[in-house]
Amino acid sequence: MKIFNYRLVIFALSIIFGVVFAIPSFLQTDSGKKISLGLDLQGGLHMRLGVNTHEAVISKIKTIATTVKYYADDEDLLIDGLSIDDESVNFTVLDKDEIPKMDEMLKQIKGLEVSKNDLSYTLILTADDIEKTKDSAVSQAVETIRNRLDQFGLAEPSVVRQGATDIVVELPGIKTQAEEKAARELISKPAKLELMEVDEERADQVYTLTRSQASEYGDIILEDTNDVNRKYLVKEIPILNGSQVIDAQVAFDQGNQPIINFTLNSTGARIFGDFTGRSVGKRLAVVLDGKVYSAPNIRERIGGGSGQISGGFSTLEAGNVAIALRSGALPASVNLLEKRSVGPSLGADSIKASTIALVSGFLIVFVFMIVYYRRAGVIANIALITNIFIIISVMAMFGATLTLPGMAGIVLTVGMAVDANVIISERIRELLKAGNSVAKSIEDGYSNAMRAILDANVTTLLVAVILYAYGTGPIKGFAVTISIGILASMLTAILGTHGIYEALQGKISKDKDLKKWFGVS
């Protein structure tokens, strides 16, 4: 009689693993990893946002204008009247001999329709590229918002696209007005960083010029972030934008005030260095979301590709701006179209109803297995309980979120785990009734049941994978739960109970009471 066998050892280790790592979730202890409850179970905030996709098109036009300006400066091409008019970029090449060089550069920009009238250029996006830009803006906004919420530390936020321009955001655990406000500000903050050249030639006219007059000079008027009466006249086309920022961290200046240090990528660093090198003595405005945070004088060429934003931030504000900059700017602003708070009382009702369903189903199965299969039913129930512990443990370890569909997945997993044990027990009973020995009946019973169990579990697992790949939010939660449950079921039902039978095989043979062990009359 082999009391200790590798199957039993693995099963015992599985039990220990399941119990140890499930305890924090069951007892809600302060330490240890626990399962997070989804929006439908603990309440929270549901929002539907609309992305202003037209702004993404304008932003791309602006980026093209920046590229043209940088190329002209870098190649010493003389251009004049570089401006943005609605959805087009206009400029004139002053030297006819430089036309081929400019044409060659513009060919490198995809999705661009170029119109020429002698030396004058008009650049617009093609209709196909406009649609792609709008579609990309929504997808990029989904990723940006998700990154921000992850870095903000919110547990398992759900951010999914809905239709052509909308995004649905679900934030479990948001209960107070302050938490809701902070989350909304973080999500909706454009975080559009731009480094813009101050028009020193006309700077003293900033309080007398209208916006349309400023536009005639290729300038725009921006307000100071701390003083709305203070204005700056800056070049409409920025030197750099936030797309070149690769890192942003909160730091403190000499006065112990929070500031944000940012680092540019290699391209941004080169453009920044070149600009500051030829603009010594001028001012560079640091603009965030259309407000000037500072406009320091350039004293020397700034290499290394780093800079800072200071503007009377609180530490919390500076941290949120740094998160937004690291996560990337939103390609376009978002509007709140719908907001719905899910109360924790609804979640409590859901938990209560689901728990009743789970416990009731579990007890009925538990009693049936013992009454019908006797001690084989007890062994199956041990595997069943272990299965539950393993599901909870694995979900807790990976920080998974338990939703109402997820609880349905656990209930379904219980049924599938029982089904595997029923198949095994029935095969063993058939062989015992045919007069086979206990040892042969157990071995052949597992062998005969294996194919049916694998077929059922593998096909269900494939469906779960498809649900996870194409589903959203709660559907993914259901897919994750049932996938973990299937794998745990195969471990406990096929390997675990087999190990127990191997350990008890000698005792069962010696006892010769098949009714007591398998319910066989």
Side-chain angles (χ1 to χ4, degrees):
M1 179 176 67
K2 295 187 294 183
I3 295 179
F4 294 104
N5 57 76
Y6 79 91
R7 293 187 178 96
L8 188 61
V9 172
I10 293 175
F11 188 49
L13 292 175
S14 301
I15 293 174
I16 294 171
F17 166 82
V19 171
V20 169
F21 289 98
I23 283 177
S25 295
F26 281 121
L27 301 182
Q28 289 297 301
T29 58
D30 294 331
S31 59
K33 292 187 175 181
K34 298 185 283 289
I35 288 180
S36 302
L37 298 182
L39 183 71
D40 51 357
L41 295 181
Q42 66 166 320
L45 187 63
H46 169 101
M47 292 185 290
R48 186 163 66 87
L49 309 170
V51 181
N52 298 317
T53 54
H54 181 69
E55 289 184 8
V57 177
I58 300 299
S59 179
K60 185 164 184 177
I61 288 290
K62 215 170 186 180
T63 301
I64 291 171
T66 302
T67 304
V68 170
K69 182 178 188 305
Y70 176 72
Y71 179 78
D73 291 342
D74 197 45
E75 296 293 327
D76 292 328
L77 291 180
L78 296 176
I79 62 173
D80 187 36
L82 178 62
S83 63
I84 298 171
D85 180 15
D86 194 16
E87 295 186 5
S88 66
V89 178
N90 305 289
F91 63 93
T92 301
V93 177
L94 299 179
D95 187 348
K96 189 176 182 180
D97 294 337
E98 303 290 359
I99 292 289
K101 193 182 279 187
M102 180 59 75
D103 288 345
E104 190 61 31
M105 189 280 289
L106 293 176
K107 283 181 183 176
Q108 307 299 319
I109 304 176
K110 296 180 179 176
L112 201 58
E113 192 172 308
V114 181
S115 302
K116 278 196 300 186
N117 182 9
D118 195 15
L119 299 180
S120 298
Y121 281 77
T122 299
L123 313 179
I124 61 172
L125 296 175
T126 63
D128 184 50
D129 199 71
I130 289 175
E131 289 306 311
K132 284 182 180 176
T133 301
K134 290 181 177 178
D135 182 72
S136 173
V138 181
S139 300
Q140 189 182 336
V142 169
E143 289 304 315
T144 301
I145 292 172
R146 187 177 291 143
N147 288 338
R148 289 181 184 181
L149 293 173
D150 285 343
Q151 293 194 41
F152 193 60
L154 287 174
E156 294 296 324
S158 171
V159 185
V160 296
R161 181 173 183 165
Q162 187 178 74
T165 61
D166 294 354
I167 298 172
V168 172
V169 180
E170 292 185 341
L171 304 174
I174 298 291
K175 296 183 175 69
T176 66
Q177 291 292 327
E179 290 173 337
E180 180 185 322
K181 182 184 176 187
R184 275 196 287 113
E185 287 179 351
L186 183 67
I187 289 171
S188 61
K189 190 173 189 56
K192 191 174 181 180
L193 175 66
E194 293 173 310
L195 302 182
M196 308 181 84
E197 179 183 0
V198 176
D199 187 348
E200 301 290 2
E201 189 179 339
R202 302 179 184 84
D204 54 353
Q205 304 175 37
V206 65
Y207 295 102
T208 58
L209 288 175
T210 64
R211 294 188 183 277
S212 59
Q213 288 172 328
S215 179
E216 292 174 5
Y217 296 114
D219 295 336
I220 54 174
I221 299 172
L222 297 178
E223 295 176 352
D224 189 277
T225 188
N226 293 319
D227 183 0
V228 293
N229 294 319
R230 187 175 185 184
K231 302 183 187 302
Y232 296 86
L233 189 66
V234 300
K235 297 290 185 184
E236 182 181 14
I237 299 169
I239 307 301
L240 284 169
N241 58 43
S243 64
Q244 276 106 8
V245 173
I246 56 174
D247 190 25
Q249 299 290 338
V250 177
F252 293 88
D253 61 14
Q254 294 179 341
N256 204 31
Q257 293 299 309
I259 59 174
I260 301 164
N261 288 332
F262 62 85
T263 306
L264 301 168
N265 61 19
S266 58
T267 303
R270 183 161 53 86
I271 296 173
F272 192 50
D274 290 349
F275 173 77
T276 53
R278 63 173 179 269
S279 304
V280 173
K282 298 180 179 177
R283 287 177 295 168
L284 178 69
V286 180
V287 181
L288 186 64
D289 294 337
K291 299 282 186 182
V292 177
Y293 277 69
S294 60
N297 281 308
I298 301 171
R299 296 178 181 174
E300 59 183 353
R301 183 182 184 278
I302 304 173
S306 61
Q308 65 177 219
I309 307 171
S310 58
F313 294 111
S314 67
T315 304
L316 179 62
E317 288 171 339
N320 286 344
V321 171
I323 288 173
L325 288 175
R326 287 199 301 271
S327 305
L330 286 173
S333 62
V334 295
N335 295 327
L336 181 62
L337 303 178
E338 178 189 351
K339 186 190 76 170
R340 190 170 67 244
S341 294
V342 179
S345 58
L346 179 60
D349 291 343
S350 300
I351 293 174
K352 185 179 178 182
S354 302
T355 304
I356 291 173
L358 179 62
V359 173
S360 302
F362 186 82
L363 287 177
I364 291 171
V365 169
F366 200 85
V367 172
F368 170 79
M369 293 299 289
I370 292 177
V371 170
Y372 193 76
Y373 292 107
R374 305 300 175 91
R375 293 191 180 181
V378 174
I379 294 172
N381 287 336
I382 292 173
L384 195 61
I385 295 170
T386 305
N387 196 29
I388 300 281
F389 275 102
I390 292 176
I391 293 172
I392 300 299
S393 298
V394 173
M395 290 182 70
M397 285 189 68
F398 286 99
T401 299
L402 182 63
T403 60
L404 204 53
M407 294 189 78
I410 293 177
V411 175
L412 182 59
T413 300
V414 169
M416 294 189 66
V418 171
D419 184 53
N421 283 291
V422 167
I423 292 173
I424 293 169
S425 298
E426 284 299 324
R427 295 294 176 269
I428 294 175
R429 279 160 57 104
E430 288 170 2
L431 291 166
L432 288 172
K433 288 177 181 176
N436 291 291
S437 66
V438 170
K440 183 172 176 55
S441 297
I442 291 173
E443 289 305 314
D444 290 354
Y446 273 92
S447 179
N448 295 340
M450 186 67 75
R451 182 168 180 175
I453 295 172
L454 285 177
D455 283 350
N457 285 324
V458 170
T459 50
T460 308
L461 192 59
L462 286 174
V463 172
V465 170
I466 293 171
L467 284 176
Y468 184 83
Y470 295 101
T472 58
I475 303 298
K476 282 188 181 239
F478 175 79
V480 168
T481 306
I482 201 166
S483 298
I484 297 170
I486 289 169
L487 296 175
S489 168
M490 293 174 73
L491 173 69
T492 55
I494 297 175
L495 197 74
T497 57
H498 198 171
I500 296 176
Y501 281 125
E502 278 190 353
L504 298 175
Q505 187 176 298
K507 186 176 182 179
I508 297 172
S509 300
K510 189 176 179 181
D511 200 7
K512 296 181 179 178
D513 188 348
L514 298 180
K515 185 175 180 61
K516 182 173 72 178
W517 283 96
F518 297 101
V520 176
S521 313

